[in-house]
Amino acid sequence: MAFYGVHCRVAVCLAVLCLVFADDPMVEITLGKLVGKSEISWHPDVNINRTIHIYEGIPYAEPPVGDLRFRPPQTKEGWGGVYRATSIGSACIQALDSFDDITETQSEDCLFLNVYVPVTHSTDRLPVMVWIHGGAFILGSGSCYYNGTPLAAIGDVIVVTFNYRLGPLGFLSTGDEHAPGNYGLLDQMAAIQWVHDNIEAFGGDKDMVTLFGNSAGSLSCEYMLLSPLMQGLFHRVIMQSANVFINGYFSTDSRMQRKTAHGLGKLVRCERETTEELIKCLRALPAQDFKDLSGIETKETLEGIIGQALPYIPFPPVADGYFLTENPSRVVEKMTFINSGLDLMLGNLADEGMYFIAFATPDMWNEPKLTINKTVYETLMKILLGDARMQTNQAVKDAIKLMYINWDDANLEDLDYVDALSQQVGDDYFICPADASARAYAKAGFNVYKYHITHVPSKTLRPIKWMKATHEEDLPFVFGWHFVDGMNWTLPKEEVDMTLKVMKYWTNFAKTGDPNLPRDDATFSEEEAQHDWPLFKVPGLEYKEIALTMSNKRALKAKECAFWNNFIPNLMKNTDPGTKCFADEDEAGKYTKDSNIKQLP
């Protein structure tokens, strides 16, 4: 199971409604001159008519090919003339997925970024929002489906999106100097460094940079926040649906990394004695040989080869001693923040768990309604537990049932367990990790704003009708898909209004660190304007409910999060004496996932 980003199913990116080409814009950056294109952003539902300069397919590092495979990105050499940045670059090598497939052109030469600049007559520099796409570190791109034009036009910000290496090409590690891992995260750092070095040429403010991302992109944002190498390169962070307390997406076990790398070598006829010889052989393979090894299915194949269970993704980010020196969840627990005092916004959707139930029930994708009986629930609730150690701990499983089953009707033969399972999975994976993070960051002095999206959209990302407000359904609102021609994303007026509010919240936060400001238009009702989104603090625990009517609430799932963040870790410790609940994988390589206790401050 994995959490994925939304990906493009067409090779050509989508244009903004009423596209009009003007004179080609040009900027000069440190590497040379760039020529882009102009579009007029206009829509009858928005009182705006804005020219946007778009620069697509800008190379921000040298192609990571040949001897540069499994190495940090190298500084791009200048092109000595004019570079036409008018079409998107290739996506990074990745496998097709039955749930979120893409058909973009793929290449190992994929380190490209896109810049969306609203034309302004003001001399003030514009805030910058840098998007990190999701995809479980195995899928996705920064181009299609992440068209930054509506956000730039409506929010008056510069939007930057980019690709980074994925799967084994982005994250394979031998646990030593020959392939330390994290190349995809270092690509992200290089893209953010590029923004810092060049964004002023586009009219942007390098001292007002906001990182935002969803799912694995949200995790990446937090890795950037916790890395000692990122000081001064950004100033605000928006984390949408995922943070470092989720299990199975980080490794500190160098022995497991080495075994997995050698397992991959055996799979592609590169079986070698040493890691140095292994990496030399892997560098010589055609890039396309890695395409089918980047999917989630590779996990089971590698487990068969090495005879050991692996995390959800076999090539996760690692503690490489350089970009990340220890498990990021430990840093948050200890509150030893290097990049402290920043503005932070984070949140989730109300039915995140439905997304993962869909992976477990593919036979039901075309059904108008999903129902789960007691027998199926008993099976799925174990499979979908975030920490594999819980699957064999009967006390833990009994406690989870006690918390989530509707006991008033538990004796009914036709009792439907869908919502119970969805809330269990969503709380385990997302809601309660976010609660632990919000508490820690607020206690450490960050300005924290928390949200919870409860609105069930009328139009959904996938043709599965029963998924509700699930994982990734925030993307159409954040990026304003209603305002993009070609996406066929027409919404009713009340959801258009909600889209505008979400876009204003996100861009207001990027401008000021406060999602409420400025309020110089009629986007928000008089009542909403009187109920500003409050800071998240302990003990107040206030947050914004994002729905058709924006409301302030408090103590989101406080009981459930005390259960997951305090009670369950203590129960596991007391019912499994051989388990160190705070053990790193280096100390307990037999565990299949990082075991993170998320203590409430």
Side-chain angles (χ1 to χ4, degrees), residues 143-172:
S143 296
C144 291
Y145 282 173
Y146 301 122
N147 189 319
T149 302
L151 199 60
I154 292 171
D156 198 31
V157 297
I158 292 176
V159 179
V160 179
T161 68
F162 62 89
N163 301 338
Y164 56 93
R165 282 173 281 179
L166 303 164
L169 290 174
F171 293 93
L172 178 140

mmCIF file of all heavy atoms in Angstrom, residues 143-172:
data_model
loop_
_atom_site.group_PDB
_atom_site.id
_atom_site.type_symbol
_atom_site.label_atom_id
_atom_site.label_comp_id
_atom_site.label_asym_id
_atom_site.label_seq_id
_atom_site.Cartn_x
_atom_site.Cartn_y
_atom_site.Cartn_z
ATOM 1 N N SER A 143 4.570 18.492 -13.691
ATOM 2 C CA SER A 143 3.992 19.234 -14.805
ATOM 3 C C SER A 143 2.486 19.058 -14.889
ATOM 4 O O SER A 143 1.717 19.850 -14.359
ATOM 5 C CB SER A 143 4.662 18.795 -16.114
ATOM 6 O OG SER A 143 6.036 19.141 -16.099
ATOM 7 N N CYS A 144 2.045 18.023 -15.545
ATOM 8 C CA CYS A 144 0.616 17.896 -15.798
ATOM 9 C C CYS A 144 -0.169 17.661 -14.509
ATOM 10 O O CYS A 144 0.289 17.003 -13.586
ATOM 11 C CB CYS A 144 0.382 16.764 -16.780
ATOM 12 S SG CYS A 144 0.980 17.166 -18.429
ATOM 13 N N TYR A 145 -1.364 18.219 -14.501
ATOM 14 C CA TYR A 145 -2.279 18.234 -13.360
ATOM 15 C C TYR A 145 -1.850 19.219 -12.287
ATOM 16 O O TYR A 145 -2.562 19.433 -11.326
ATOM 17 C CB TYR A 145 -2.489 16.846 -12.750
ATOM 18 C CG TYR A 145 -3.443 15.976 -13.541
ATOM 19 C CD1 TYR A 145 -3.623 14.648 -13.199
ATOM 20 C CD2 TYR A 145 -4.163 16.473 -14.611
ATOM 21 C CE1 TYR A 145 -4.502 13.843 -13.913
ATOM 22 C CE2 TYR A 145 -5.034 15.686 -15.325
ATOM 23 C CZ TYR A 145 -5.205 14.366 -14.975
ATOM 24 O OH TYR A 145 -6.067 13.579 -15.678
ATOM 25 N N TYR A 146 -0.651 19.790 -12.424
ATOM 26 C CA TYR A 146 -0.223 20.823 -11.475
ATOM 27 C C TYR A 146 0.036 22.114 -12.230
ATOM 28 O O TYR A 146 1.088 22.739 -12.090
ATOM 29 C CB TYR A 146 1.010 20.359 -10.696
ATOM 30 C CG TYR A 146 0.779 19.089 -9.928
ATOM 31 C CD1 TYR A 146 1.564 17.958 -10.157
ATOM 32 C CD2 TYR A 146 -0.237 18.990 -8.991
ATOM 33 C CE1 TYR A 146 1.346 16.779 -9.457
ATOM 34 C CE2 TYR A 146 -0.470 17.822 -8.302
ATOM 35 C CZ TYR A 146 0.326 16.710 -8.542
ATOM 36 O OH TYR A 146 0.099 15.546 -7.853
ATOM 37 N N ASN A 147 -0.907 22.498 -13.078
ATOM 38 C CA ASN A 147 -0.831 23.752 -13.804
ATOM 39 C C ASN A 147 -0.931 24.894 -12.806
ATOM 40 O O ASN A 147 -1.937 25.057 -12.116
ATOM 41 C CB ASN A 147 -1.986 23.815 -14.815
ATOM 42 C CG ASN A 147 -1.882 24.983 -15.761
ATOM 43 O OD1 ASN A 147 -1.525 26.078 -15.352
ATOM 44 N ND2 ASN A 147 -2.199 24.755 -17.021
ATOM 45 N N GLY A 148 0.116 25.708 -12.716
ATOM 46 C CA GLY A 148 0.160 26.758 -11.709
ATOM 47 C C GLY A 148 -0.493 28.058 -12.124
ATOM 48 O O GLY A 148 -0.509 29.021 -11.337
ATOM 49 N N THR A 149 -1.064 28.120 -13.341
ATOM 50 C CA THR A 149 -1.608 29.392 -13.837
ATOM 51 C C THR A 149 -2.765 29.931 -12.996
ATOM 52 O O THR A 149 -2.759 31.115 -12.625
ATOM 53 C CB THR A 149 -2.027 29.247 -15.306
ATOM 54 O OG1 THR A 149 -0.884 28.827 -16.067
ATOM 55 C CG2 THR A 149 -2.547 30.547 -15.859
ATOM 56 N N PRO A 150 -3.799 29.130 -12.665
ATOM 57 C CA PRO A 150 -4.888 29.702 -11.851
ATOM 58 C C PRO A 150 -4.413 30.214 -10.497
ATOM 59 O O PRO A 150 -4.839 31.293 -10.054
ATOM 60 C CB PRO A 150 -5.859 28.524 -11.696
ATOM 61 C CG PRO A 150 -5.582 27.640 -12.865
ATOM 62 C CD PRO A 150 -4.113 27.745 -13.090
ATOM 63 N N LEU A 151 -3.545 29.473 -9.842
ATOM 64 C CA LEU A 151 -3.064 29.882 -8.521
ATOM 65 C C LEU A 151 -2.255 31.175 -8.626
ATOM 66 O O LEU A 151 -2.377 32.073 -7.788
ATOM 67 C CB LEU A 151 -2.224 28.762 -7.908
ATOM 68 C CG LEU A 151 -2.000 28.801 -6.401
ATOM 69 C CD1 LEU A 151 -3.319 28.729 -5.643
ATOM 70 C CD2 LEU A 151 -1.094 27.639 -5.968
ATOM 71 N N ALA A 152 -1.429 31.278 -9.674
ATOM 72 C CA ALA A 152 -0.648 32.494 -9.878
ATOM 73 C C ALA A 152 -1.549 33.689 -10.172
ATOM 74 O O ALA A 152 -1.342 34.789 -9.647
ATOM 75 C CB ALA A 152 0.350 32.281 -11.016
ATOM 76 N N ALA A 153 -2.564 33.463 -11.020
ATOM 77 C CA ALA A 153 -3.428 34.563 -11.429
ATOM 78 C C ALA A 153 -4.328 35.039 -10.299
ATOM 79 O O ALA A 153 -4.482 36.248 -10.070
ATOM 80 C CB ALA A 153 -4.274 34.133 -12.624
ATOM 81 N N ILE A 154 -4.930 34.125 -9.589
ATOM 82 C CA ILE A 154 -5.893 34.472 -8.548
ATOM 83 C C ILE A 154 -5.191 34.902 -7.261
ATOM 84 O O ILE A 154 -5.631 35.814 -6.564
ATOM 85 C CB ILE A 154 -6.834 33.281 -8.286
ATOM 86 C CG1 ILE A 154 -7.728 33.072 -9.516
ATOM 87 C CG2 ILE A 154 -7.687 33.497 -7.031
ATOM 88 C CD1 ILE A 154 -8.544 31.801 -9.480
ATOM 89 N N GLY A 155 -4.070 34.250 -6.945
ATOM 90 C CA GLY A 155 -3.384 34.534 -5.692
ATOM 91 C C GLY A 155 -2.282 35.550 -5.774
ATOM 92 O O GLY A 155 -1.748 35.966 -4.744
ATOM 93 N N ASP A 156 -1.904 35.972 -6.999
ATOM 94 C CA ASP A 156 -0.842 36.958 -7.186
ATOM 95 C C ASP A 156 0.472 36.458 -6.569
ATOM 96 O O ASP A 156 1.125 37.168 -5.806
ATOM 97 C CB ASP A 156 -1.242 38.306 -6.594
ATOM 98 C CG ASP A 156 -0.386 39.445 -7.126
ATOM 99 O OD1 ASP A 156 0.069 39.355 -8.277
ATOM 100 O OD2 ASP A 156 -0.156 40.420 -6.387
ATOM 101 N N VAL A 157 0.826 35.238 -6.916
ATOM 102 C CA VAL A 157 2.075 34.633 -6.452
ATOM 103 C C VAL A 157 2.756 33.966 -7.643
ATOM 104 O O VAL A 157 2.116 33.640 -8.647
ATOM 105 C CB VAL A 157 1.839 33.574 -5.350
ATOM 106 C CG1 VAL A 157 1.235 34.196 -4.106
ATOM 107 C CG2 VAL A 157 0.958 32.431 -5.871
ATOM 108 N N ILE A 158 4.062 33.759 -7.546
ATOM 109 C CA ILE A 158 4.795 32.952 -8.516
ATOM 110 C C ILE A 158 4.718 31.504 -8.062
ATOM 111 O O ILE A 158 4.943 31.191 -6.884
ATOM 112 C CB ILE A 158 6.259 33.406 -8.631
ATOM 113 C CG1 ILE A 158 6.325 34.797 -9.261
ATOM 114 C CG2 ILE A 158 7.076 32.414 -9.461
ATOM 115 C CD1 ILE A 158 7.721 35.375 -9.334
ATOM 116 N N VAL A 159 4.392 30.601 -8.977
ATOM 117 C CA VAL A 159 4.297 29.176 -8.671
ATOM 118 C C VAL A 159 5.393 28.435 -9.421
ATOM 119 O O VAL A 159 5.603 28.653 -10.621
ATOM 120 C CB VAL A 159 2.915 28.611 -9.068
ATOM 121 C CG1 VAL A 159 2.848 27.109 -8.772
ATOM 122 C CG2 VAL A 159 1.809 29.343 -8.320
ATOM 123 N N VAL A 160 6.101 27.544 -8.719
ATOM 124 C CA VAL A 160 7.161 26.724 -9.313
ATOM 125 C C VAL A 160 6.826 25.258 -9.061
ATOM 126 O O VAL A 160 6.501 24.878 -7.933
ATOM 127 C CB VAL A 160 8.546 27.054 -8.718
ATOM 128 C CG1 VAL A 160 9.635 26.173 -9.346
ATOM 129 C CG2 VAL A 160 8.875 28.531 -8.894
ATOM 130 N N THR A 161 6.897 24.439 -10.103
ATOM 131 C CA THR A 161 6.739 22.990 -9.964
ATOM 132 C C THR A 161 7.951 22.316 -10.590
ATOM 133 O O THR A 161 8.609 22.891 -11.469
ATOM 134 C CB THR A 161 5.451 22.492 -10.654
ATOM 135 O OG1 THR A 161 5.585 22.645 -12.071
ATOM 136 C CG2 THR A 161 4.227 23.260 -10.180
ATOM 137 N N PHE A 162 8.245 21.074 -10.185
ATOM 138 C CA PHE A 162 9.440 20.421 -10.724
ATOM 139 C C PHE A 162 9.342 18.905 -10.601
ATOM 140 O O PHE A 162 8.531 18.369 -9.844
ATOM 141 C CB PHE A 162 10.705 20.927 -10.028
ATOM 142 C CG PHE A 162 10.767 20.637 -8.542
ATOM 143 C CD1 PHE A 162 11.308 19.450 -8.070
ATOM 144 C CD2 PHE A 162 10.289 21.551 -7.617
ATOM 145 C CE1 PHE A 162 11.368 19.177 -6.710
ATOM 146 C CE2 PHE A 162 10.340 21.294 -6.256
ATOM 147 C CZ PHE A 162 10.885 20.101 -5.797
ATOM 148 N N ASN A 163 10.197 18.224 -11.362
ATOM 149 C CA ASN A 163 10.359 16.770 -11.269
ATOM 150 C C ASN A 163 11.527 16.439 -10.358
ATOM 151 O O ASN A 163 12.456 17.244 -10.189
ATOM 152 C CB ASN A 163 10.667 16.163 -12.641
ATOM 153 C CG ASN A 163 9.603 16.436 -13.673
ATOM 154 O OD1 ASN A 163 8.455 16.711 -13.338
ATOM 155 N ND2 ASN A 163 9.977 16.357 -14.941
ATOM 156 N N TYR A 164 11.514 15.232 -9.817
ATOM 157 C CA TYR A 164 12.669 14.694 -9.093
ATOM 158 C C TYR A 164 12.717 13.190 -9.322
ATOM 159 O O TYR A 164 11.704 12.566 -9.629
ATOM 160 C CB TYR A 164 12.598 15.031 -7.600
ATOM 161 C CG TYR A 164 11.334 14.577 -6.897
ATOM 162 C CD1 TYR A 164 11.268 13.342 -6.254
ATOM 163 C CD2 TYR A 164 10.207 15.401 -6.853
ATOM 164 C CE1 TYR A 164 10.115 12.928 -5.589
ATOM 165 C CE2 TYR A 164 9.046 14.994 -6.195
ATOM 166 C CZ TYR A 164 9.007 13.768 -5.565
ATOM 167 O OH TYR A 164 7.859 13.353 -4.917
ATOM 168 N N ARG A 165 13.906 12.610 -9.182
ATOM 169 C CA ARG A 165 14.071 11.180 -9.469
ATOM 170 C C ARG A 165 13.251 10.319 -8.513
ATOM 171 O O ARG A 165 13.091 10.657 -7.333
ATOM 172 C CB ARG A 165 15.549 10.804 -9.395
ATOM 173 C CG ARG A 165 16.357 11.208 -10.608
ATOM 174 C CD ARG A 165 17.839 10.963 -10.425
ATOM 175 N NE ARG A 165 18.463 12.005 -9.611
ATOM 176 C CZ ARG A 165 19.760 12.016 -9.283
ATOM 177 N NH1 ARG A 165 20.547 11.016 -9.668
ATOM 178 N NH2 ARG A 165 20.257 13.012 -8.562
ATOM 179 N N LEU A 166 12.769 9.189 -9.042
ATOM 180 C CA LEU A 166 11.820 8.340 -8.332
ATOM 181 C C LEU A 166 12.309 6.896 -8.297
ATOM 182 O O LEU A 166 13.211 6.506 -9.043
ATOM 183 C CB LEU A 166 10.460 8.401 -9.037
ATOM 184 C CG LEU A 166 9.838 9.789 -9.202
ATOM 185 C CD1 LEU A 166 8.721 9.741 -10.224
ATOM 186 C CD2 LEU A 166 9.339 10.322 -7.862
ATOM 187 N N GLY A 167 11.667 6.086 -7.433
ATOM 188 C CA GLY A 167 11.962 4.664 -7.389
ATOM 189 C C GLY A 167 13.434 4.397 -7.111
ATOM 190 O O GLY A 167 14.109 5.182 -6.443
ATOM 191 N N PRO A 168 13.982 3.292 -7.623
ATOM 192 C CA PRO A 168 15.392 2.969 -7.344
ATOM 193 C C PRO A 168 16.346 4.012 -7.915
ATOM 194 O O PRO A 168 17.407 4.258 -7.322
ATOM 195 C CB PRO A 168 15.581 1.602 -8.008
ATOM 196 C CG PRO A 168 14.454 1.449 -8.962
ATOM 197 C CD PRO A 168 13.312 2.222 -8.386
ATOM 198 N N LEU A 169 16.017 4.639 -9.046
ATOM 199 C CA LEU A 169 16.902 5.664 -9.594
ATOM 200 C C LEU A 169 16.966 6.889 -8.676
ATOM 201 O O LEU A 169 17.947 7.633 -8.706
ATOM 202 C CB LEU A 169 16.433 6.080 -10.990
ATOM 203 C CG LEU A 169 16.610 5.025 -12.088
ATOM 204 C CD1 LEU A 169 15.975 5.513 -13.389
ATOM 205 C CD2 LEU A 169 18.082 4.698 -12.298
ATOM 206 N N GLY A 170 15.932 7.079 -7.870
ATOM 207 C CA GLY A 170 15.916 8.226 -6.971
ATOM 208 C C GLY A 170 16.285 7.915 -5.541
ATOM 209 O O GLY A 170 16.692 8.812 -4.795
ATOM 210 N N PHE A 171 16.184 6.629 -5.130
ATOM 211 C CA PHE A 171 16.327 6.356 -3.707
ATOM 212 C C PHE A 171 17.071 5.066 -3.368
ATOM 213 O O PHE A 171 17.182 4.732 -2.183
ATOM 214 C CB PHE A 171 14.937 6.335 -3.061
ATOM 215 C CG PHE A 171 14.271 7.687 -3.068
ATOM 216 C CD1 PHE A 171 13.417 8.051 -4.100
ATOM 217 C CD2 PHE A 171 14.526 8.610 -2.075
ATOM 218 C CE1 PHE A 171 12.812 9.303 -4.137
ATOM 219 C CE2 PHE A 171 13.938 9.870 -2.086
ATOM 220 C CZ PHE A 171 13.078 10.218 -3.123
ATOM 221 N N LEU A 172 17.584 4.322 -4.344
ATOM 222 C CA LEU A 172 18.344 3.119 -4.003
ATOM 223 C C LEU A 172 19.548 3.486 -3.134
ATOM 224 O O LEU A 172 20.268 4.449 -3.416
ATOM 225 C CB LEU A 172 18.815 2.417 -5.282
ATOM 226 C CG LEU A 172 19.666 1.152 -5.061
ATOM 227 C CD1 LEU A 172 19.278 0.072 -6.061
ATOM 228 C CD2 LEU A 172 21.165 1.451 -5.177
#
